[in-house]
Amino acid sequence: EVHLVESGGGLVQPGGSLRLSCAASGFTFSSSAMKWFRQAPGKGLEWVSSINSGGNTTMYADSVKGRFTISRDNAKNTLYLQLNSLKTEDTAMYFCAKHWTSAASSSSGYAGRGQGTQVTVSS
């Protein structure tokens, strides 16, 4: 069973940074591409970023490109998302998710996701 637990969210001022983590268990993490999504209040789920199983291919939504960095540590079964230059419009619940294959994908589907961690950007 896919089990994903996000952490690292919080309240930060505009321009600030956060590092989100996602601890994975219940599946072969090193064989799975992973994704980050977010959902702002009153809005739908938005794909943010993806990384392939080996960590050498990454993809980003235009809204976060150049500000967010996805990475993974397969030895620790952990996915990360570094959020820099945060804007108020980045306020959302952030979710990590497992993809079905090892290749990175910007598709909206996933094979399982966590409960999320809240990121609030406000002065």
Side-chain angles (χ1 to χ4, degrees):
E1 179 184 356
V2 173
H3 189 54
L4 299 166
V5 179
E6 302 91 340
S7 61
L11 174 64
V12 62
Q13 293 185 340
S17 297
L18 284 173
R19 189 194 197 199
L20 308 184
S21 298
C22 170
S25 61
F27 64 101
T28 307
F29 181 75
S30 59
S31 297
S32 298
M34 299 293 294
K35 304 177 178 181
W36 286 99
F37 291 91
R38 67 185 180 183
Q39 187 166 22
K43 296 188 177 181
L45 197 64
E46 176 189 12
W47 169 76
V48 173
S49 182
S50 295
I51 188 168
N52 71 335
S53 59
N56 58 346
T57 300
T58 57
M59 304 173 70
Y60 298 95
D62 288 343
S63 58
V64 307
K65 199 172 294 182
R67 300 188 298 120
F68 292 8
T69 303
I70 190 171
S71 62
R72 63 191 297 160
D73 185 335
N74 286 344
K76 295 183 177 179
N77 284 0
T78 303
L79 176 72
Y80 302 101
L81 187 68
Q82 178 69 40
L83 288 63
N84 295 331
S85 303
L86 282 161
K87 305 176 181 180
T88 55
E89 52 263 43
D90 294 318
T91 295
M93 185 72 78
Y94 284 71
F95 303 90
C96 65
K98 174 190 179 300
H99 191 55
W100 291 281
T101 70
S102 61
S105 170
S106 61
S107 70
S108 59
Y110 50 85
R113 78 177 203 193
Q115 293 299 307
T117 186
Q118 177 68 38
V119 172
T120 302
V121 185
S122 175
S123 55

